Amino acid sequence: MKIYFTASESEDAQAAKETLIERYGHVPAGEADVIVALGGDGFMLETMHSFMSSRTPIYGMNKGTIGFLLNKYEEANLIERLEAGQITELHPLRMVAVDMHGQKVEALAINEVSLLRESRQTAKIQISIDGNVKVEELTCDGVLVATPAGSTAYNYSAHGPILPVNAGVLALTPISAFRPRRWRGAILPREARIELTVREAAKRPVSAVADAVEVRDVSTVTIEEKRDVTIRLLFDPEHNLEKRILDEQFML
């Protein structure tokens, strides 16, 4: 099996990369059967973005802190683990943000697209689904749309639902909603087209963030799943992403 190794800048991850290359060899990414990423969840997210256009499976090994998207780090039996690994396929969100000057920015998000207030004043955001206004005016610190893979991250911290990977849904979650007070968000079909319009944008500026891409002073943001892009993650059978997300719902 031909492997391309990549690692975060931490000393621990770089040392592990050198050890594994010496043991298993190393080929250019374009020739690899699998990409092995060494680091934490943040570096795994970077790796997924870097190889988003490739269908080469990515197998992460934890050399960071939490390691939710990664397998346990072990030097031995790597080839056997890769051969026995189970594929999980993810589709990113496509964000199209238009700022107050009419400039358009497109970006892809694996975890979530977030709208966040920029100033001391609350944001006022209108929410439309498939062209139909569902919330006329949400007064809040922000709002986000999360994929199942991202539902355990910022979405969960904002009291959004945890979504099974293969459920075919997205989470729409308000962030510190002031009005309407009792609205806790929605679970949407993956085919939904979500349009977020910022009210009083000049007075109450809002930024839009798709993973690591930030657009300041937005006026409208459109979000939908990009089904023609597939990210393939490889997990050990006893520790796959589907099981982790299920277990996360019972963490007390």
Side-chain angles (χ1 to χ4, degrees), residues 84-222:
Q86 296 178 345
I87 292 286
T88 295
E89 293 189 344
L90 306 177
H91 302 287
L93 297 173
R94 174 176 176 262
M95 175 190 81
V96 179
V98 180
D99 68 17
M100 290 188 291
H101 307 291
Q103 183 175 354
K104 180 188 294 186
V105 177
E106 296 189 21
L108 298 180
I110 296 166
N111 275 353
E112 76 275 319
V113 174
S114 307
L115 268 65
L116 306 166
R117 68 183 176 105
E118 297 177 11
S119 69
R120 60 181 177 80
Q121 290 188 303
T122 55
K124 291 186 176 183
I125 301 170
Q126 182 186 82
I127 301 173
S128 298
I129 309 297
D130 297 328
N132 300 309
V133 176
K134 296 297 185 182
V135 179
E136 190 67 43
E137 185 173 277
L138 176 67
T139 305
C140 57
D141 282 353
V143 64
L144 64 85
V145 178
T147 66
S151 67
T152 60
Y154 189 13
N155 172 71
Y156 190 41
S157 297
H159 307 291
I162 294 176
L163 305 175
V165 171
N166 295 318
V169 293
L170 305 172
L172 173 63
T173 302
I175 303 169
S176 300
F178 180 64
R179 280 196 174 52
R181 287 186 185 276
R182 295 186 180 181
W183 189 65
R184 300 301 181 195
I187 296 175
L188 306 174
R190 70 190 325 167
E191 299 84 6
R193 185 176 187 273
I194 304 140
E195 184 172 347
L196 307 172
T197 303
V198 179
R199 297 277 189 88
E200 302 177 33
K203 181 182 178 183
R204 302 170 184 269
V206 169
S207 63
V209 183
D211 286 350
V213 177
E214 181 179 9
V215 183
R216 305 283 289 181
D217 304 332
V218 296
S219 57
T220 61
V221 176
T222 303

Side-chain angles (χ1 to χ4, degrees), residues 47-62:
T47 304
M48 292 160 70
H49 273 281
S50 297
F51 296 97
M52 195 175 288
S53 60
S54 168
R55 290 187 59 85
T56 306
I58 302 172
Y59 181 85
M61 286 203 286
N62 190 19

Side-chain angles (χ1 to χ4, degrees), residues 203-240:
K203 181 182 178 183
R204 302 170 184 269
V206 169
S207 63
V209 183
D211 286 350
V213 177
E214 181 179 9
V215 183
R216 305 283 289 181
D217 304 332
V218 296
S219 57
T220 61
V221 176
T222 303
I223 304 160
E224 54 191 337
E225 190 178 63
K226 191 164 177 60
R227 297 285 296 166
D228 59 347
V229 174
T230 302
I231 302 158
R232 305 175 76 217
L233 302 184
L234 194 60
F235 290 96
D236 295 329
E238 70 279 5
H239 208 45
N240 63 55

